[in-house]
Amino acid sequence: MLIFYVIFSSILILLSLLPFIQSQHWIFRVAEFVKLQLLVFQVPALAMGFYLVGEDSWIWWLQAVQLALIVYHAYILIRYTKFWRREKYEKGQDASDSIKVISCNVLQFNTAYDRFIDLIQKEQPNIFLTMESDAAWEKALRVLENYYPNFEKVTLDNTYGMHFYTNLKINKCQVHYFVADDIPSIEAELETADGHRFIFFAVHPPPPSPTEEENSKERDGDLLSVAKRVRDYKMPVVVTGDFNNVAWAKSSLLFKKTSKLIDARIGRGILSTFHANYWFFRVPLDLLFHSPTVFIDKLFIYPSVGSDHFPMGCTFFIDRYSEEQAEDIEHLEAGDMAHVNEMIADGKEEESDNRC
């Protein structure tokens, strides 16, 4: 039992400490994803240690490190629960009508097209976004074009295809390739029927993993390029998609500070979207950030549509600037922008190296 405890506790401590290392290699960055799972395992490991401690004083050192990491993980995660207090905002007379968005990584190899289409027909969002959508998905989604006449299609078969549909007016729309010529992002200026304009940004960068990218350079460079682009926009902004990152990761926090946007999950729940087939190892990879003039009414996860991701839904409205909500904005510190620019350059360089 003692040997098991030492090995088990050491693994948990190691995985907890890996994200503190600044390397962008996937080994260090993927460990950020499982903070909740680590916390779940660390509590019984700590209890086991108290049972075994006896006269082996060195176990107290292991216990002390484990307890410190439990407190750290709990401190980080509690803000992504409903226990974290949020200010209640009263909707003003000039606020926009409610706007509903559904985004989903549909999984390119998922052929259950009708399940996603049925969801859209039932929920009738104003905007829906698909990621990993290829030519087969594009063909299947055509049945919705009578209801969503405005769209932008980026049809790719590399699992980074992206399709954006809306029944709102599109004033401008463009596709960006910030760090790689096969990793698109969609930016659209939309206008509601009651005259409110806002920017909708759809993202899906590649993940750091042993089967995808060896490091997070392309992902981080792509996301930070989006953050730099929107940080000084005067118009309301919503950025969503499969970030292939968790909200508490260092690069997500840097995205939040650079963009001057607000994380919609704060005070609303962790809302894990991946992996749909393995409940214990689910993590929130599909994120949504917004400016302080965008007010989230509801943020929720839909049932499975056959993908490895659950669809994510959100309803929001646009209103006057709120000082209370603006307090959630975090700012870059001195020297951070130079680091951001370096990470963007590293992402572009990584793509160039991969092409060689």
Side-chain angles (χ1 to χ4, degrees):
M1 179 65 79
L2 180 59
I3 294 175
F4 172 78
Y5 159 76
V6 172
I7 294 174
F8 185 46
S9 295
S10 298
I11 291 173
L12 293 174
I13 290 171
L14 175 62
L15 290 174
S16 298
L17 294 176
L18 283 176
F20 287 97
I21 299 173
Q22 296 300 313
S23 171
Q24 290 177 289
H25 193 278
W26 69 265
I27 290 176
F28 304 99
R29 302 283 59 90
V30 170
E32 292 178 306
F33 293 6
V34 291
K35 194 177 292 292
L36 177 60
Q37 288 80 358
L38 288 173
L39 180 60
V40 169
F41 280 125
Q42 283 175 313
V43 172
L46 185 71
M48 187 188 305
F50 285 123
Y51 175 76
L52 295 172
V53 66
E55 297 180 358
D56 296 314
S57 59
W58 61 269
I59 293 181
W60 285 111
W61 290 102
L62 206 59
Q63 288 287 88
V65 175
Q66 197 78 273
L67 178 60
L69 289 170
I70 288 174
V71 172
Y72 169 73
H73 287 155
Y75 171 75
I76 296 297
L77 293 173
I78 193 170
R79 68 192 66 189
Y80 300 98
T81 70
K82 294 183 179 181
F83 295 108
W84 195 260
R85 185 176 63 87
R86 296 193 62 87
E87 295 289 339
K88 183 67 175 178
Y89 181 81
E90 295 296 331
K91 191 172 182 179
Q93 291 183 346
D94 297 327
S96 73
D97 293 332
S98 182
I99 302 163
K100 180 185 284 189
V101 177
I102 294 177
S103 66
C104 183
N105 182 325
V106 294
L107 184 64
Q108 181 174 299
F109 309 104
N110 171 25
T111 58
Y113 310 116
D114 288 345
R115 294 177 67 177
F116 180 76
I117 291 169
D118 289 346
L119 174 67
I120 299 301
Q121 290 176 330
K122 177 184 176 182
E123 294 296 318
Q124 299 181 357
N126 302 102
I127 303 165
F128 75 87
L129 170 70
T130 63
M131 292 152 286
E132 288 202 26
S133 39
D134 59 3
W137 269 98
E138 180 180 317
K139 181 179 179 181
L141 293 172
R142 286 175 189 164
V143 68
L144 297 170
E145 291 182 7
N146 288 335
Y147 308 98
Y148 297 91
N150 304 318
F151 44 77
E152 182 67 52
K153 304 176 182 180
V154 187
T155 308
L156 300 171
D157 61 2
N158 63 349
T159 71
Y160 289 98
M162 184 178 286
H163 289 70
F164 161 73
Y165 292 81
T166 182
N167 57 22
L168 302 178
K169 180 182 177 183
I170 297 180
N171 290 329
K172 291 186 291 186
C173 190
Q174 56 186 313
V175 179
H176 300 282
Y177 298 88
F178 288 115
V179 299
D181 59 10
D182 56 355
I183 306 294
S185 299
I186 296 176
E187 177 184 4
E189 180 190 307
L190 305 180
E191 185 172 339
T192 64
D194 51 4
H196 287 81
R197 294 185 300 154
F198 67 100
I199 300 295
F200 181 85
F201 230 115
V203 301
H204 182 208
S209 78
T211 58
E212 295 267 356
E213 298 293 329
E214 183 179 291
N215 56 58
S216 66
K217 290 182 179 181
E218 283 191 41
R219 181 198 68 185
D220 297 342
D222 190 75
L223 291 175
L224 291 173
S225 295
V226 174
K228 275 193 67 178
R229 185 171 179 86
V230 304
R231 67 180 272 109
D232 294 320
Y233 278 7
K234 303 303 181 185
M235 216 175 293
V237 176
V238 173
V239 180
T240 193
D242 177 4
F243 277 59
N244 275 312
N245 206 5
V246 287
W248 52 79
K250 288 183 178 180
S251 52
S252 284
L253 298 177
L254 190 58
F255 171 89
K256 179 181 175 181
K257 292 177 180 179
T258 304
S259 64
K260 297 191 286 191
L261 299 179
I262 298 166
D263 183 356
R265 269 180 170 74
I266 299 294
R268 293 189 174 88
I270 291 177
L271 300 172
S272 295
T273 56
F274 174 90
H275 192 290
N277 297 328
Y278 307 106
W279 69 269
F280 184 75
F281 293 102
R282 286 176 188 164
V283 292
L285 298 187
D286 299 84
L287 308 180
L288 188 145
F289 293 83
H290 62 92
S291 58
T293 51
V294 172
F295 297 84
I296 306 299
D297 184 25
K298 295 180 181 178
L299 185 69
F300 42 86
I301 305 302
Y302 288 104
S304 172
V305 291
S307 173
D308 51 356
H309 286 247
F310 293 109
M312 185 176 73
C314 176
T315 58
F316 67 89
F317 61 90
I318 300 166
D319 205 349
R320 63 188 183 278
Y321 184 85
S322 165
E323 292 288 350
E324 291 81 4
Q325 183 160 245
E327 290 177 359
D328 290 336
I329 297 175
E330 298 180 20
H331 299 279
L332 294 173
E333 298 177 2
D336 282 350
M337 185 55 78
H339 182 48
V340 168
N341 291 332
E342 181 181 348
M343 292 177 72
I344 292 172
D346 286 346
K348 294 177 179 179
E349 183 179 351
E350 182 71 14
E351 166 60 12
S352 298
D353 291 345
N354 290 341
R355 295 295 183 191
C356 294

